[in-house]
Amino acid sequence: MTVDVQARTEERAAPPVSGGRRILAPDLARGAMLLLIALANATGVFLASTPGVDTTPHGPERVWNVFLFLFVHARALPLFALMFGYGLVQFARHQDEAGRPPGKVRALLLRRNAWLFAFGLAHGVLLYSGDVLGAYGLIGIAFTVLLLRRGDRVHRLAPGYLILAALYVLGLAALVLHGLATGSGGAAGVPTSDFPSVTEPSYGASLGARVGEWPATVLSMLPMILFIWIGAWAARRRLLDEPARHRRLLRRGATVGLTVAVLGGLPMGLLAGGFLHVDADTAGYAKMLYETAGFFGGIGYGCLFGLLALRVSSWSATSRRQLPVTALAALGRRSLSGYLVQSVAWLVLASPYALALGDRLGSPTFVAAGSALLVWLGTLVGAYLMHRRARRGPAEILLRRLAYGRRS
């Protein structure tokens, strides 16, 4: 049975709110995105910093630090935002196709995003203050009210942000290169911020710290409405719904996006690995460069999974390669549950008042990486088993009941 047939079988057993057929590419992107999020968040928790990085690496840790800044840090959240915007348009389109009036669709989206904000509040205070759900809930409300139903003329403005972002990347790259050319080295450390809540000695103390940290996280993420707008624009053009039709654009997006992300993250990666020594100003520019280039990395990853979905469609129905793809798509359909499970895992595995594995097992860098991989694999297996039984994720069920008042 192919992935597409399996998805339709699951939908007949438990029809989604949208009533539409699942598109493979966004689900693959969301499932893989959770691995990037796990790697980024685990290093932040185990190393108590944002971005998560060991500022005094040794041996293989130096190479791993480079990898994180090239492919992980500030690359997962833009992909998350793009897929969120893509999903908003998909939902509205499927509701329209089901014959629901625009006012009803708008009300459903507003309720869902309001409850998503509530999920983020609970998640951010109780488990992990680096939460993204609260910010995306607020952005989802604003986007629904201001932009979602606007015409093509307005949405054509969204790609203009790519031009501004590209110019900003080029300006930052010039500043970094100037600093490297004119500076005489330096001993600036990797620019990071402390993550106090993960170092508190008790759960009660960490709870109090997260109460202060979470609102600041939400405010810092609100500019991601621009990323979400790009995702909505892509959905209006059906870039991932019809990858064969947009093959050339997806290839270009994957190549350019990932190239910009890698090159933009290289100075910060080399600095974090101890291979580059710069002054404080240049280190600050390198940090801004890797963060801005990360947006293009999100685009590159999204396009890459669109191409993967196109490739999978040509595989034999009996191919063994279908199994990992089916599992990855199943996790993508249950991405909210997978995301929340990760935060529970970090609380148990890393907290000083719980297992504190980073202190007990040696290098926090590789304990974080191993924990991230194992937790993600656990959610992958769990999602696949739920898929085989035609069951949604528990967080998806709860959100649906709260937002739509329907039993799942």
Side-chain angles (χ1 to χ4, degrees):
M1 182 180 290
T2 66
V3 172
D4 189 53
V5 172
Q6 287 175 322
R8 290 199 297 270
T9 301
E10 180 178 356
E11 289 158 6
R12 287 195 295 269
V17 175
S18 67
R21 184 174 64 86
R22 297 293 305 204
I23 305 300
L24 179 60
D27 287 333
L28 290 177
R30 292 183 184 103
M33 169 194 73
L34 287 174
L35 175 58
L36 299 179
I37 289 176
L39 290 169
N41 289 350
T43 54
V45 171
F46 277 90
L47 294 162
S49 66
T50 54
V53 60
D54 187 342
T55 56
T56 57
H58 301 281
E61 293 173 348
R62 301 174 68 194
V63 177
W64 181 248
N65 279 0
V66 176
F67 173 84
L68 288 176
F69 284 102
L70 296 187
F71 299 105
V72 177
H73 286 322
R75 277 86 181 123
L77 287 183
L79 177 59
F80 201 145
L82 292 167
M83 291 299 101
F84 184 78
Y86 204 99
L88 287 175
V89 171
Q90 279 187 310
F91 178 89
R93 179 186 296 139
H94 293 155
Q95 293 290 341
D96 291 341
E97 292 170 353
R100 293 181 176 85
K104 178 67 172 177
V105 177
R106 177 188 174 102
L108 284 173
L109 277 168
L110 291 176
R111 279 207 307 272
R112 185 182 187 279
N113 284 295
W115 277 112
L116 189 63
F117 174 78
F119 271 52
L121 173 60
H123 174 234
V125 172
L126 298 178
L127 295 173
Y128 177 67
S129 62
D131 159 77
V132 300
L133 302 179
Y136 287 175
L138 288 180
I139 294 172
I141 292 171
F143 192 87
T144 299
V145 172
L146 299 175
L147 290 171
L148 184 62
R149 291 295 187 176
R150 302 294 293 273
D152 286 342
R153 181 176 297 179
V154 172
H155 285 282
R156 287 195 192 105
L157 298 174
Y161 175 68
L162 296 178
I163 299 174
L164 296 177
L167 292 174
Y168 189 54
V169 165
L170 289 174
L172 290 172
L175 289 171
V176 171
L177 291 174
H178 180 266
L180 293 175
T182 61
S184 56
V190 179
T192 62
S193 301
D194 292 335
F195 200 169
S197 63
V198 302
T199 61
E200 296 291 351
S202 69
Y203 179 74
S206 70
L207 192 68
R210 284 191 294 272
V211 168
E213 291 175 351
W214 180 76
T217 299
V218 171
L219 291 175
S220 71
M221 291 186 180
L222 294 182
M224 282 197 172
I225 190 171
L226 294 169
F227 301 177
I228 288 171
W229 196 10
I230 295 290
W233 169 82
R236 290 173 69 90
R237 296 194 61 182
R238 298 179 182 267
L239 295 188
L240 298 182
D241 298 54
E242 302 170 353
R245 178 184 171 192
H246 301 286
R247 188 197 310 258
R248 181 177 298 180
L249 182 58
L250 291 175
R251 283 177 175 169
R252 189 178 303 163
T255 301
V256 174
L258 293 175
T259 298
V260 172
V262 169
L263 294 178
L266 188 59
M268 186 68 171
L270 293 175
L271 177 62
F275 300 103
L276 185 67
H277 303 282
V278 298
D279 56 42
D281 288 342
T282 304
Y285 293 136
K287 182 176 186 290
M288 290 189 287
L289 176 60
Y290 104 85
E291 291 172 340
T292 308
F295 172 56
F296 291 91
I299 292 175
Y301 279 131
C303 292
L304 186 65
F305 283 99
L307 294 171
L308 176 60
L310 183 61
R311 180 69 178 271
V312 167
S313 65
S314 67
W315 289 354
S316 166
T318 58
S319 171
R320 292 183 179 180
R321 294 177 293 180
Q322 291 283 1
L323 177 60
V325 173
T326 301
L328 193 61
L331 180 57
R333 295 181 196 116
R334 297 160 182 84
S335 57
L336 180 58
S337 295
Y339 176 66
L340 295 175
V341 166
Q342 288 184 15
S343 296
V344 174
W346 314 146
L347 195 72
V348 173
L349 298 176
S351 298
Y353 48 85
L355 296 181
L357 295 185
D359 296 329
R360 297 182 180 183
L361 298 182
S363 168
T365 297
F366 290 123
V367 172
S371 298
L373 180 59
L374 290 175
V375 169
W376 179 78
L377 286 173
T379 60
L380 188 71
V381 172
Y384 178 73
L385 293 176
M386 284 187 280
H387 167 79
R388 291 292 299 269
R389 291 165 175 77
R391 295 179 180 176
R392 291 189 184 88
E396 284 76 12
I397 292 173
L398 179 58
L399 179 61
R400 176 175 171 168
R401 289 181 179 176
L402 291 171
Y404 312 124
R406 296 176 57 177
R407 295 188 62 82
S408 299

